[in-house]
Amino acid sequence: MLRNMKVALTVNDFLRRAELLYPDREAIVDEPDQPAASWGSITYREMAKRAKALAAGLDALGIAPGERVAMVSHNSARLLTALFGVSGSGRVLVPINFRLVAEEVKYIVAHSGARVLLVDPELEKEMADVECEMKWTIGAESDAILMKFDVEPQSWEGDEDATATINYTSGTTARPKGVQLTHRNIWLNASVFGWHMGVNDRDVYMHTLPQFHCNGWGMLYSVTGMGAKHVIQRKIDGAEILRRVEQHGVTLWCGAPAVLNMILDAAAEWNGPIPGAGTVRCVIAGAAPPTRTIERCETELGWEFNQIYGLTETTPVLTINRPRAEWDNLSPADRAVKLNRAGGPAIGCTMAVDDQGEILTRGNMVMEGYWAQTEATADAIKDGFFHTGDGGFIDEANYLTIADRKKDVIITG
């Protein structure tokens, strides 16, 4: 008699549910000004079809499960779909920071052992000298080779401990390190993050956060699993963000404090009521903005301010600070002081601070390790905890405050 059923947690679970329950719902509104030719608006049925076509294309090229596919791209429907089509077929996606110079991209492609490299048309000249076994410009060229719609892709049994993506950290004093995130890491981060933020099928998520950056913090999986709508934004502009909030009914976005500042600046020049007042939730991370900025988010935009803390190595969400019921009667200024902290530990996460003031954590969100760097992995994960390299303290309410971020902070604006 079967008494125990353990089913692998994979990224396929999110898109599979959306395709099953919301096949005819608008899934993605692509950036209209994509140089690779915008996909426009597609449904979840079409998104799933394109993810499977990509998997079949990789089959035809002889890219086996476990092999790496690198992609250096601005936000796009193609990159979003690749996060499912590549990882969901057992391959490993290597999403590369589009702000890196060619020499850094060369290193990442070589170090990861990627057999395929896809390059944004805008970066084609800059990346001309970056070599890879198979290399194409994203768009009609890559679509013709990779998208095989007329054949069913090979089945992948699914292994939650398999590496789904390798996300390279930005190295200023040393070479970038490749963070191995497993399907289990990604699944649990996305589920917990989405749970804390109340993601639901009525949400409209705007991609103000680079999709390469820890897979858009994992929020893109949460949104997909709930059948909510993705609105792709290729480049950040405060006024354009407000326009898209108004046009698409955006309810949720993630980004750095710099992005919020751009929106506040644009709102000062906005003609008419601020779009999304009372309905938009923004999630900020990177460095805590001043309390005055947090207060202005509420008073000038009417948007809910949320703060998280994490690292690429932790998939990334460790702590969450969302306005809680106990703060409802506080003034916006006093509430901003409460929201200025990094937050309390996310579900399933244990936080600690050692006697040197370094922030430590343990939980299912911690990476498998650094790709092909066993010593660096051993330095980071020891004595049962991941050592963040950041400094901070935990107050009497069990909320973490960051005092010193030693790790690189990617400014996503």
Side-chain angles (χ1 to χ4, degrees):
M1 183 184 294
L2 181 66
R3 296 185 182 275
N4 181 30
M5 183 177 292
K6 183 178 179 181
V7 180
L9 309 174
T10 74
V11 301
N12 290 326
D13 293 337
F14 301 100
L15 184 53
R16 187 180 291 129
R17 181 178 190 271
E19 181 189 16
L20 182 70
L21 296 181
Y22 307 102
D24 299 317
R25 177 178 283 197
E26 192 174 34
I28 309 174
V29 179
D30 199 8
E31 167 65 52
D33 297 324
Q34 289 288 1
S38 175
W39 277 3
S41 171
I42 64 171
T43 64
Y44 271 112
R45 178 185 280 109
E46 184 63 25
M47 181 182 176
K49 181 181 175 183
R50 294 185 188 203
K52 290 169 188 169
L54 176 55
L58 294 172
D59 291 344
L61 292 172
I63 306 299
E67 293 191 308
R68 278 73 64 205
V69 176
M71 196 166 178
V72 53
S73 170
H74 289 266
N75 285 356
S76 69
R78 284 179 176 85
L79 178 50
L80 175 58
T81 302
L83 283 156
F84 295 94
V86 176
S87 297
S89 60
R91 285 93 177 183
V92 180
L93 185 68
V94 184
I96 301 176
N97 184 348
F98 55 78
R99 297 189 182 97
L100 297 180
V101 298
E103 284 303 312
E104 292 171 301
V105 174
K106 277 183 188 177
Y107 172 80
I108 290 170
V109 171
H111 185 264
S112 67
R115 293 187 61 199
V116 176
L117 173 62
L118 302 171
V119 179
D120 192 291
E122 195 174 292
L123 303 170
E124 191 175 14
K125 288 183 181 177
E126 188 180 336
M127 300 297 160
D129 293 336
V130 180
E131 296 181 355
C132 189
E133 181 185 339
M134 293 173 255
K135 178 185 176 185
W136 297 288
T137 300
I138 296 168
E141 181 185 40
S142 64
D143 287 352
I145 295 163
L146 283 171
M147 306 296 278
K148 302 292 185 186
F149 289 100
D150 55 347
V151 59
E152 190 70 19
Q154 295 172 12
S155 62
W156 178 60
E157 286 186 10
D159 176 3
E160 65 183 41
D161 296 319
T163 300
T165 62
I166 302 176
N167 304 72
Y168 277 79
T169 60
S170 184
T172 51
T173 58
R175 288 290 199 180
K177 294 194 285 289
V179 175
Q180 288 178 255
L181 298 181
T182 66
H183 285 265
R184 181 179 174 83
N185 288 146
I186 288 171
W187 202 101
L188 291 170
N189 173 81
S191 300
V192 168
F193 193 12
W195 187 0
H196 277 287
M197 289 310 305
V199 177
N200 63 81
D201 79 304
R202 297 172 190 270
D203 271 317
V204 178
Y205 179 68
M206 181 166 52
H207 288 250
T208 44
L209 182 70
Q211 293 163 340
F212 76 78
H213 190 200
C214 204
N215 310 324
W217 297 351
M219 180 55 80
L220 53 83
Y221 300 106
S222 314
V223 169
T224 300
M226 297 309 292
K229 183 194 292 187
H230 299 265
V231 176
I232 308 295
Q233 181 138 18
R234 182 175 168 86
K235 296 188 178 178
I236 298 303
D237 174 86
E240 184 59 29
I241 288 173
L242 288 173
R243 280 193 289 272
R244 294 188 191 195
V245 171
E246 184 173 59
Q247 178 185 357
H248 299 290
V250 170
T251 60
L252 180 64
W253 64 271
C254 301
V259 179
L260 179 56
N261 287 330
M262 288 181 189
I263 296 168
L264 287 167
D265 289 345
E269 307 293 326
W270 188 260
N271 186 18
I274 299 300
T279 57
V280 170
R281 319 190 292 291
C282 58
V283 185
I284 303 298
T291 54
R292 176 65 183 139
T293 301
I294 298 172
E295 182 183 355
R296 289 178 65 203
C297 182
E298 178 180 338
T299 59
E300 296 178 22
L301 300 175
W303 295 0
E304 179 185 293
F305 178 92
N306 303 271
Q307 185 168 188
I308 67 166
Y309 162 71
L311 303 92
T312 302
E313 290 92 335
T314 59
T315 325
V317 181
L318 292 176
T319 68
I320 296 183
N321 195 349
R322 191 173 186 193
R324 49 192 285 180
E326 291 88 342
W327 306 341
D328 284 354
N329 295 325
L330 297 178
S331 69
D334 288 341
R335 190 158 38 247
V337 173
K338 298 283 191 183
L339 289 167
N340 189 244
R341 298 169 292 177
I347 295 166
C349 174
T350 300
M351 302 297 298
V353 176
D354 69 13
D355 52 10
Q356 274 82 48
E358 184 180 9
I359 299 165
L360 312 177
T361 189
R362 61 179 292 139
N364 289 299
M365 73 296 295
V366 175
M367 65 176 179
E368 176 73 14
Y370 293 115
W371 178 259
Q373 290 181 288
T374 53
E375 287 186 16
T377 302
D379 286 341
I381 304 173
K382 53 191 174 185
D383 303 323
F385 279 88
F386 172 73
H387 292 242
T388 66
D390 293 334
F393 61 90
I394 296 172
D395 63 22
E396 67 283 351
N398 292 308
Y399 273 57
L400 174 71
T401 295
I402 308 300
D404 179 23
R405 289 216 71 169
K406 293 184 176 68
K407 294 279 186 179
D408 290 321
V409 177
I410 297 177
I411 304 303
T412 58

